[in-house]
Amino acid sequence: MKLKGKVHKYGANVDTDAIIPARYLNVSESNELAQHCMEDFDAEFLTKVQPGDIIAADTNFGCGSSREHAPVAIKAAGISCVIARSFARIFFRNAINIGLSLLESPEAVDNTESGDILEVELATGEIHNITRDETFLAKPYPDFMMGIIKVGGLVKYTKRKIAEGV
Amino acid sequence: MTLAEKILAANSGKEKVSPGEFVNVRVDVVLANDITAPLSIKEFRKLGVDKVFDPEKIVMVPDHFCPNKDILSAEQAKMMKQFVQEQGLVYFEVGRMGIEHVLLPEQGLVLPGDVVIGADSHTCTYGALGAFGTGMGSTDIAVAMATGEIWMKVPPTIKFVYHGKLGRWVGGKDLILYTIGDIGVDGALYSAMEFVGEAVDALPMDGRFTMSNMAIEAGGKAGIFRVDDKTQKYVKDRAKRSYQVYHPDEDAEYTRIIEYDVSKLEPQVAFPHLPSNVRPISHVGDIKIDQVVIGSCTNGRLDDLRLAAKILKGGKVNSGLRCIIIPGSQQVYLDALHAGLVDAFIRAGAVVSTPTCGPCLGGYMGVLAAGERCVSTTNRNFIGRMGSPKSEVYLANPAVAAASAVLGRIASPEEITK
């Protein structure tokens, strides 16, 4: 699957309180959560983001809480994928589980600025910066995780396993 | 194998596991709370199963926004309770509950050698009992509720060795803040942390819970202690089922071994807006504060309240600020009451609240206004964590928090007691 969008770039340690403040966790509907995505951190985020846009970030993106509301809010806000130097581990699992695409590529992050247009081929991990005409390759997923991603997340993966009686 | 590898091998039916290996792990306890359970329940419904794998192994605790702070929170708590009743899960109602990571060990629901997954990042707290506890999201919890299993990548282990004898006002909170300050908020990313050495051997269980609790603040997957006499004593009268104690092998492989001499360590304070932004108390300077919070899954246990009471007893909370003290469970509350601590807190001018996570995540019971500063015994000081994005949170141990409450600025306990 090919994704294409404008980049919104952030620094290191973007935490889950920045992504979705806990005061909004009294709901779990994705569209309501999306209304407050990055609210305390980048007040213009929602007005800037067009469907399909991409977040690029430094290390440890999504650190902090286990709230799945964080990747849910990002996805529902229209972001098609997040590219970071590294991800916090619970956020990483959550994003895979709910079908928000993540790519780990320090080179792509270092050579991308806000406003650049990227094209991402999820199957190969190829990240093409159209604005700068540079191409980078993201770290490949282990086969086991690719299996979960390919069927569309952990619920579908498990449903299939249960149905097969494994 | 390291302690983490031993537990994961045993729970995945393997002789040996190695870092990086994907394993299907049998879980002993699955946990969710009032803000993460609703999403878990929605995902559980999609799985096409009617019943959870074992209702006695699934625990739900209304602690984050409970007692309900508003109508939407009440609806979430109600949804969780209805699911609990439908499935017959383990549940603690308001009035019998506690902050989940204080409550579960106290009730003997988590035991050494267990694998515990919780839809709460501080599930790593159970490492203090020699268990493998780790936080996951709601979907992972939904799958584990249905199948009793979850996939994991076996983490590499970093060993932390703490040499020396701790000073009077220095405890588990200071050791872990110092460690996070040293390695950074992603210093243990994807890794298990194993805590050893004479300084942590001497720590009471409550101090060990504090350390394990904040492993996630260094990016850790787990923060584990070896089981010793103190652990056994803590567990002995609480356990209602058998458990297995694991020890790391002599030739266990660690990705790093980090050693600290902590005999001269001062109380540590994490400045805004990262838990790694740590300074010793002597280098804090003059920082006026508006609020103090003593409690949470990090520092809401009896030893923590005793420490705070040593400073607050007979003293007065500074007229310029609010001091909010939250025992971590009903049992801690009752024990504190019987020990005269609650009396001391109220006479000093502090608020004593029923157990809740409330202020730690800016939920309620102590939300900060723009420009306000809080010294808190909690675990995170990210931007807006406890309220306004223009407020500031300073993390510290309960003695520093109490001394700061008296003096109205971030202060060392030495200033009160010398």
Side-chain angles (χ1 to χ4, degrees), chain B residues 76-189:
Chain B
Q76 295 208 121
K78 183 178 141 196
M79 180 184 179
M80 178 168 90
K81 189 169 179 177
Q82 284 174 339
F83 186 73
V84 162
Q85 288 169 337
E86 171 197 309
Q87 298 284 335
L89 311 181
V90 182
Y91 177 73
F92 296 87
E93 187 52 280
V94 168
R96 279 142 278 169
M97 62 79 150
I99 296 171
E100 49 196 347
H101 310 307
V102 177
L103 184 70
L104 267 60
E106 173 196 286
Q107 297 293 319
L109 292 171
V110 174
L111 299 171
D114 282 357
V115 171
V116 186
I117 63 165
D120 187 279
S121 61
H122 293 107
T123 305
C124 49
T125 308
Y126 309 123
L129 294 167
F132 189 96
T134 195
M136 290 189 186
S138 295
T139 298
D140 280 316
I141 291 318
V143 165
M145 287 199 297
T147 65
E149 292 179 350
I150 197 70
W151 70 269
M152 280 195 208
K153 191 163 92 172
V154 177
T157 302
I158 307 173
K159 180 153 86 171
F160 295 84
V161 191
Y162 300 90
H163 299 285
K165 188 169 179 282
L166 292 178
R168 185 175 176 205
W169 300 107
V170 182
K173 185 61 165 285
D174 307 292
L175 291 178
I176 194 66
L177 283 177
Y178 180 75
T179 305
I180 298 164
D182 181 50
I183 65 172
V185 289
D186 59 355
L189 192 61

Side-chain angles (χ1 to χ4, degrees), chain B residues 193-357:
Chain B
M193 304 167 83
E194 198 175 303
F195 304 118
V196 299
E198 67 259 29
V200 298
D201 290 343
L203 276 183
M205 284 309 295
D206 286 0
R208 297 181 190 181
F209 283 120
T210 303
M211 286 188 75
S212 292
N213 174 273
M214 287 189 72
I216 180 68
E217 281 13 292
K221 185 165 187 168
I224 310 185
F225 283 83
R226 298 173 183 189
V227 172
D228 64 5
D229 291 347
K230 279 181 196 165
T231 331
Q232 295 281 17
K233 191 173 167 230
Y234 181 91
V235 168
K236 194 165 67 89
D237 295 329
R238 303 171 197 264
K240 296 169 204 79
R241 56 182 164 90
S242 63
Y243 58 91
Q244 182 75 43
V245 173
Y246 298 98
H247 299 285
D249 292 324
E250 292 275 334
D251 61 352
E253 283 179 35
Y254 298 92
T255 43
R256 282 174 83 189
I257 297 175
I258 300 175
E259 306 202 35
Y260 300 118
D261 178 357
V262 293
S263 46
K264 293 199 176 70
L265 190 75
E266 293 179 43
Q268 305 286 304
V269 178
F271 275 50
H273 293 284
L274 280 178
S276 57
N277 195 10
V278 167
R279 296 184 202 176
I281 190 76
S282 60
H283 286 68
V284 162
D286 185 18
I287 296 174
K288 299 270 188 301
I289 54 171
D290 304 281
Q291 179 172 296
V292 166
V293 169
I294 299 173
S296 82
C297 61
T298 312
N299 280 120
R301 297 178 184 81
L302 193 62
D303 280 352
D304 300 314
L305 300 188
R306 281 190 198 282
L307 207 54
K310 275 187 188 162
I311 306 289
L312 286 173
K313 194 168 185 179
K316 282 279 173 226
V317 168
N318 193 277
S319 61
L321 65 79
R322 318 175 284 272
C323 179
I324 300 165
I325 301 179
I326 308 181
S329 70
Q330 291 291 89
Q331 190 59 52
V332 171
Y333 202 152
L334 203 55
D335 291 345
L337 191 72
H338 289 153
L341 311 184
V342 173
D343 187 277
F345 294 148
I346 293 174
R347 284 180 196 280
V351 159
V352 184
S353 154
T354 193
T356 178
C357 308

